[in-house]
Amino acid sequence: MRQEDNGKIKILLLGAGESGKSTIFKQMRILYGEELSDDDLRLYGVVARSNIVVAIRKLCVHLRNLGLEEELDRESQENADFNDEMSCRQAYDELVARLIDFTAPSMDGSLHSSEDD
C-alpha cells in the first residue's frame, strides 16, 4: 500500500460552499485520473440534462414572476423575419407547458400532470 502512495500527490481543497472545489476535483480526475467508464459517462449525461432542465425551469419561473413575458412578445415581433420555426414567446410557452404547468401532451398524446410523479 505504501508503494502505491509514493506516486500520489494529495491536495486539500478548502473553500466556501459553491466555490468550485468539486469542479477542480473533477477536472483533475479528467486530466490525470483513470478513464471514465461507460456508466460514469451515462451518469454525467443524466446529471447534465437534469441540471439544464432545473436551470430552464428557474429561468421561466423568474421570467413569469418578474412580469417579463410581454418582453418576449415584443422581441418575437421584432425578430419575426428571422425566426422561421418558432418565436421566443412560442418557445417560452412550450417550455412552461412542459416543465412548469405540465399541460403539454406527452409522446402518447395524454396530458402529463404533476400528480403522475
Side-chain angles (χ1 to χ4, degrees):
M1 178 116 178
R2 280 284 183 204
Q3 289 177 342
E4 291 176 13
D5 288 344
N6 286 341
K8 292 183 180 178
I9 298 173
K10 295 184 180 182
I11 299 173
L12 175 63
L13 297 174
L14 300 173
E18 301 295 320
S19 64
K21 299 179 296 293
S22 295
T23 303
I24 296 283
F25 176 75
K26 289 174 189 172
Q27 286 295 320
M28 295 295 283
R29 182 177 175 200
I30 289 169
L31 294 172
Y32 304 108
E34 299 173 9
E35 286 191 33
L36 296 174
S37 68
D38 287 343
D39 288 338
D40 288 337
L41 292 173
R42 274 192 283 285
L43 179 63
Y44 281 128
V46 169
V47 170
R49 283 187 292 279
S50 174
N51 289 344
I52 290 167
V53 169
V54 167
I56 290 171
R57 253 190 206 132
K58 286 181 181 182
L59 288 170
C60 289
V61 167
H62 289 309
L63 195 73
R64 180 188 276 176
N65 290 343
L66 293 171
L68 297 175
E69 292 169 316
E70 293 79 27
E71 288 292 316
L72 291 174
D73 293 330
R74 184 185 57 76
E75 189 172 323
S76 294
Q77 289 172 354
E78 289 175 1
N79 297 320
D81 295 337
F82 303 109
N83 291 334
D84 294 340
E85 296 182 25
M86 187 179 284
S87 70
C88 295
R89 181 55 188 246
Q90 289 170 324
Y92 169 78
D93 289 340
E94 180 78 18
L95 287 169
V96 168
R98 291 191 181 278
L99 301 177
I100 298 170
D101 297 337
F102 301 108
T103 56
S106 65
M107 294 294 188
D108 63 3
S110 63
L111 288 180
H112 178 278
S113 70
S114 55
E115 289 120 22
D116 293 342
D117 294 334

